[in-house]
Amino acid sequence: MRKFLAAAGFHGAIAVGFGAFAAHGAQAVLPPQAVDWLKTGASYQLWHALALLGIAACLDAASPKLPVRLVTISGLAFFLGALLFSGSLYVLALSPLDGGDGASWLVYLTPLGGALLILGWALLFLAGLKKGSV
């Protein structure tokens, strides 16, 4: 539970920082597409910080009927998914866009992170349907 609480704080702080940068200054130093990537990354990361907070609360109040394993794996998928999805967007947004920086391979991490976020929600859905403990 405490690890997911810490993960929520980690993702929340980073999301607010990048969201603030996107809203208050990024336009002066970055192209519009890069600013959009920052906004998208911050939005997804902040929503999943809240999801991790919910996971922490669920595990703290875990009843014998809660499928703890599914909820835990869901939280791990949220943590890693937000890290890959948002992190890759942040690096891409802050990297030179001329292709000479070597960071262009990060575009492959964005959909992988998105898939992990979807997996996290799907596992949470299954946890809500499952009866008994795991």
Side-chain angles (χ1 to χ4, degrees), residues 41 47 49 60 72 78 106 108 112 119 125 134:
W47 280 109
D60 186 46
T72 301
F78 286 155
L106 288 171
Y108 300 107
L112 176 61
L119 176 65
F125 171 73
V134 173

Side-chain angles (χ1 to χ4, degrees), residues 20-50:
F21 175 57
H24 304 289
Q27 297 89 349
V29 295
L30 296 174
Q33 181 183 24
V35 175
D36 286 344
W37 289 340
L38 289 176
K39 289 178 181 179
T40 299
S43 176
Y44 274 72
Q45 192 171 26
L46 190 56
W47 280 109
H48 287 87
L50 292 173

Side-chain angles (χ1 to χ4, degrees), residues 94-105:
L94 299 174
S95 298
L97 299 177
D98 62 7
D101 63 335
S104 60
W105 64 272

Side-chain angles (χ1 to χ4, degrees), residues 13-119:
I14 292 172
V16 170
F18 274 106
F21 175 57
H24 304 289
Q27 297 89 349
V29 295
L30 296 174
Q33 181 183 24
V35 175
D36 286 344
W37 289 340
L38 289 176
K39 289 178 181 179
T40 299
S43 176
Y44 274 72
Q45 192 171 26
L46 190 56
W47 280 109
H48 287 87
L50 292 173
L52 285 164
L53 190 60
I55 295 286
C58 285
L59 292 174
D60 186 46
S63 72
K65 294 184 179 184
L66 180 72
V68 173
R69 183 177 293 153
L70 283 176
V71 174
T72 301
I73 296 170
S74 172
L76 291 172
F78 286 155
F79 178 78
L80 291 173
L83 192 64
L84 292 175
F85 182 85
S86 297
S88 64
L89 287 177
Y90 299 151
V91 172
L92 286 168
L94 299 174
S95 298
L97 299 177
D98 62 7
D101 63 335
S104 60
W105 64 272
L106 288 171
V107 298
Y108 300 107
L109 293 182
T110 310
L112 176 61
L116 285 169
L117 295 175
I118 293 168
L119 176 65

